[in-house]
Amino acid sequence: MVERKESWTSLASLLGTLAFCQTFLRMVLPPELRHVSLKFLTRAFRCFSSYCYFDIAEMEGVKTNELYNAVHLYLSSFASTSASASRLSLTRARNSSVTTFGLSSNDSIADVFDGVTVQWEHAVTQRQSQPSPWRPLPDEKRSFKLRIRKRDKDLILNSYLDYIMERLIYTNSRSSESHGRPWEAVPFKHPSTFDTLAMDPEKKRDIMEDLRDFAAGQAFYQRTGRAWKRGYLLYGPPGTGKSSMIAAMANFLGYDIYDLELTEVPSNSELRKLLMKTSSKSIIVIEDIDCSVNLSNRSKAPKAPALQSYSADPDAPDAASGGKNWNNTMTLSGLLNFTDGLWSCCGSERIFVFTTNHIDKLDPALLRSGRMDMHICMSYCSYPALQILLHNYLGSEGKDLSEAAASELREAVEKAKMTPADISEVLIKKRRNREKAVSELLEVMKARAEGKEEYGGLRDKCESNGVEEEEQEKRALESPKEVSDRENDSCQKVEDQEEKKAN
Ligand SMILES: Nc1ncnc2c1ncn2[C@@H]1O[C@H](COP(=O)(O)OP(=O)(O)OP(=O)(O)O)[C@@H](O)[C@H]1O
Ligand SMILES: [Mg+2]
């Protein structure tokens, strides 16, 4: 108690001395020396202080500092419940029910990590000059100042910052764009990993090796003059694990995910801007690429109208483009440039992943060799994949099953053509009783194989889309005419079936 009292007394006297020195210097020194001597005094004070300080600026030159964004997001996640924050900024998009909290300029907030208290301050000042006329920086200069005790430096600089920098998932929307933020982020917590992913183990190993080679391949990409990026096309029926595979990839590599919503991108130039705002070590995802937007073939892409008819107002109707403003269009060629063109290399170490349920509906330009480095078919559950699901849900890989039961399961799963999602549904319901779960699964699989099970809608959908892998790859090499002939044929078949039903 006495000791604490003494240390408060000495701190008070130190502060008193500093204040006295400041006043004295102001009175005695000429103005040009005042600034230098005050700076010196502050430094001297910091030497004796038990605290140290770190600045985390929003921009590093013209590049965004990812740590700043991570801190911003992290603080906003608990700012509203913190007793130490006195002033918070609030943001909310017009059609959104989510309010985002932020630290107001020059306000501070305390946080506790592993029993250690740290202090954050958000410093905002006006920018005095623009370093580059080509890429203007925000008018405000923003940074977070972190104050910690010197003795906690190791813990904070290692574990705490890692904790803050946990993976994020970003998405784009027009409302966030209008607030000057092309991407909105939330922490990414999907638990899917390659261990929990049910698929053929050899195929899984190949994908993991490919990802590992990619992440460690900086020197290779440099030497061969290739942009350090890789593309994966995941295709297959719904519920076969395409989205789970993306999450597993992100967790495996420790990358962020940018989930690109194409329907929210008004034009090719906006798409390019979004690309420029993605960070390295990230996975850029376009889910359901066949139904996101009506991507026309490059030859059919809308042409720019004559220069004189181009309106400076992006919302004005344009006669030359039939009332549509050409600037307001996203085309297939824009998307191909996004993944493949010169702009695709404005960052590095990035993975593009497209998913589709209908590979046969994709434009051949998207499938041509070299465009997407790997085409991965996610298909119905095989026996090795079923073993992984049994392990996930029941804690066994079927190894404790009798040989007869195992071979019954093997036969049933090959015949049933059920997706891992369908099988997971059965297992999750009965997971408390392993025997019951296995026997119910067998029953469902047999019923499915005989076409008795009530999965009508989904099954029809799977069967019509679940083309065999070889056949899908063959289709990838078809010319546009062959694709359209085949599609006309299948449309004709559906029409014939419907006519039959009606009669
Ligand atoms: N291969 C798999 N391994 C493990 N779980 C799976 C797998 N496939 C599906 N699941 C389970 O089914 C759920 C749905 O899977 P997911 O969303 O990954 O399928 P998808 O192929 O992306 O479907 P869609 O085409 O409809 O987007 C997952 O949350 C997971 O629980
Ligand atoms: Mg999906």
Side-chain angles (χ1 to χ4, degrees):
M1 191 69 190
V2 177
E3 239 176 57
R4 191 180 288 176
K5 207 171 168 186
E6 272 175 7
S7 61
W8 278 114
T9 317
S10 49
L11 180 67
S13 70
L14 190 66
L15 287 173
T17 315
L18 184 72
F20 171 76
C21 291
Q22 279 183 343
T23 322
F24 180 74
L25 288 172
R26 265 200 204 106
M27 281 164 49
V28 177
L29 291 177
E32 59 276 14
L33 284 180
R34 255 184 236 159
H35 180 67
V36 181
S37 50
L38 274 177
K39 222 169 155 183
F40 172 77
L41 255 183
T42 314
R43 274 208 189 143
F45 178 69
R46 282 195 178 164
C47 277
F48 291 111
S49 163
S50 54
Y51 290 101
C52 55
Y53 300 79
F54 297 91
D55 272 338
I56 299 166
E58 184 184 19
M59 308 295 294
E60 296 170 309
V62 289
K63 269 174 48 192
T64 309
N65 181 359
E66 285 164 32
L67 182 56
Y68 175 90
N69 287 341
V71 171
H72 179 73
L73 195 71
Y74 171 72
L75 293 182
S76 63
S77 70
F78 72 90
S80 63
T81 52
S82 167
S84 69
S86 53
R87 270 180 61 205
L88 295 176
S89 65
L90 299 181
T91 42
R92 183 165 171 168
R94 185 173 285 278
N95 297 324
S96 165
S97 58
V98 181
T99 305
T100 312
F101 297 90
L103 208 53
S104 289
S105 52
N106 303 320
D107 206 354
S108 60
I109 191 171
D111 186 24
V112 179
F113 178 75
D114 234 356
V116 166
T117 303
V118 304
Q119 189 80 20
W120 287 102
E121 187 190 328
H122 194 207
V124 182
T125 53
Q126 283 300 312
R127 193 177 295 282
Q128 302 300 336
S129 63
Q130 285 289 352
S132 156
W134 311 112
R135 288 193 67 177
L137 297 174
D139 289 340
E140 284 181 336
K141 222 171 155 179
R142 291 180 280 247
S143 67
F144 284 107
K145 291 184 192 304
L146 172 65
R147 191 191 71 169
I148 57 173
R149 284 190 179 274
K150 282 178 182 162
R151 61 164 189 240
D152 302 327
K153 211 165 149 184
D154 282 347
L155 173 78
I156 297 300
L157 293 187
N158 298 318
S159 316
Y160 183 53
L161 293 186
D162 281 352
Y163 175 67
I164 288 176
M165 285 287 280
E166 68 180 356
R167 270 179 301 294
L168 300 175
I169 178 160
Y170 296 82
T171 192
N172 60 303
S173 70
R174 287 177 208 227
S175 63
S176 57
E177 172 63 49
S178 64
H179 285 94
R181 281 194 308 266
W183 296 101
E184 291 277 6
V186 291
F188 177 68
K189 305 234 185 252
H190 201 299
S192 173
T193 64
F194 277 109
D195 286 338
T196 60
L197 201 63
M199 66 185 293
D200 175 41
E202 241 173 65
K203 212 155 140 186
K204 196 193 283 190
R205 234 183 343 262
D206 285 351
I207 297 167
M208 288 169 77
E209 230 164 72
D210 195 74
L211 289 170
R212 222 178 271 124
D213 286 348
F214 170 77
Q218 182 171 22
F220 166 80
Y221 283 89
Q222 185 79 35
R223 196 175 61 245
T224 50
R226 292 171 69 103
W228 192 8
K229 64 187 177 67
R230 197 141 179 90
Y232 297 89
L233 174 72
L234 309 183
Y235 64 94
T240 48
K242 297 178 292 298
S243 304
S244 309
M245 160 79 84
I246 296 169
M249 285 175 161
N251 287 330
F252 180 63
L253 295 172
Y255 286 7
D256 288 335
I257 293 185
Y258 287 86
D259 187 9
L260 180 66
E261 186 49 67
L262 275 188
T263 50
E264 293 288 306
V265 184
S267 63
N268 291 341
S269 61
E270 289 301 319
L271 186 64
R272 203 157 47 217
K273 272 191 215 159
L274 281 168
L275 180 69
M276 284 164 63
K277 295 279 179 183
T278 58
S279 54
S280 309
K281 291 186 183 286
S282 58
I283 302 181
I284 299 166
V285 178
I286 303 179
E287 290 251 45
D288 300 318
I289 182 128
D290 50 291
C291 29
S292 297
V293 284
N294 190 11
L295 291 169
S296 44
N297 198 331
R298 276 184 289 186
S299 54
K300 292 183 226 151
K303 294 206 169 56
L307 208 54
Q308 64 271 27
S309 68
Y310 172 63
S311 161
D313 174 3
D315 297 323
D318 186 330
S321 55
K324 267 187 186 172
N325 194 311
W326 68 275
N327 195 33
N328 219 20
T329 320
M330 235 212 58
T331 61
L332 177 61
S333 91
L335 182 67
L336 298 181
N337 275 334
F338 174 78
T339 55
D340 243 9
L342 290 173
W343 286 94
S344 67
C345 330
C346 62
S348 62
E349 209 177 340
R350 276 188 306 200
I351 290 176
F352 291 89
V353 182
F354 292 171
T355 74
T356 179
N357 297 143
H358 311 275
I359 195 170
D360 50 325
K361 283 192 183 165
L362 296 188
D363 191 295
L366 265 170
L367 299 168
R368 74 144 171 81
S369 87
R371 179 81 70 198
M372 288 280 125
D373 301 283
M374 248 179 140
H375 291 186
I376 301 168
C377 176
M378 303 296 287
S379 195
Y380 296 111
C381 201
S382 60
Y383 186 63
L386 175 63
Q387 284 180 304
I388 298 169
L389 290 178
L390 289 175
H391 177 74
N392 290 350
Y393 291 93
L394 308 178
S396 81
E397 290 177 20
K399 282 180 185 149
D400 51 353
L401 294 171
S402 67
E403 218 168 274
S407 77
E408 202 179 358
L409 265 182
R410 184 193 304 264
E411 197 183 324
V413 76
E414 301 299 345
K415 282 186 184 161
K417 288 203 165 179
M418 282 172 77
T419 63
D422 291 341
I423 291 180
S424 305
E425 276 307 304
V426 179
L427 294 179
I428 209 164
K429 274 188 213 143
K430 301 281 172 194
R431 67 186 184 282
R432 289 186 205 291
N433 187 330
R434 200 186 296 182
E435 277 78 43
K436 254 198 176 158
V438 172
S439 68
E440 169 126 0
L441 181 63
L442 256 173
E443 234 174 76
V444 173
M445 290 196 298
K446 283 181 183 166
R448 280 288 295 268
E450 289 165 18
K452 284 186 200 156
E453 190 62 25
E454 276 292 302
Y455 281 94
L458 181 61
R459 188 159 187 229
D460 287 341
K461 205 169 150 201
C462 293
E463 279 181 346
S464 57
N465 301 327
V467 189
E468 289 302 318
E469 194 173 355
E470 246 183 58
E471 174 67 9
Q472 300 230 25
E473 288 292 334
K474 211 168 81 193
R475 288 181 182 189
L477 300 172
E478 285 177 345
S479 69
K481 183 171 180 314
E482 283 167 330
V483 173
S484 85
D485 285 348
R486 183 170 43 71
E487 278 185 357
N488 287 342
D489 279 346
S490 68
C491 283
Q492 192 59 51
K493 266 186 211 156
V494 174
E495 277 169 17
D496 289 345
Q497 275 170 4
E498 274 172 358
E499 216 176 277
K500 245 188 215 167
K501 259 190 223 160
N503 293 334

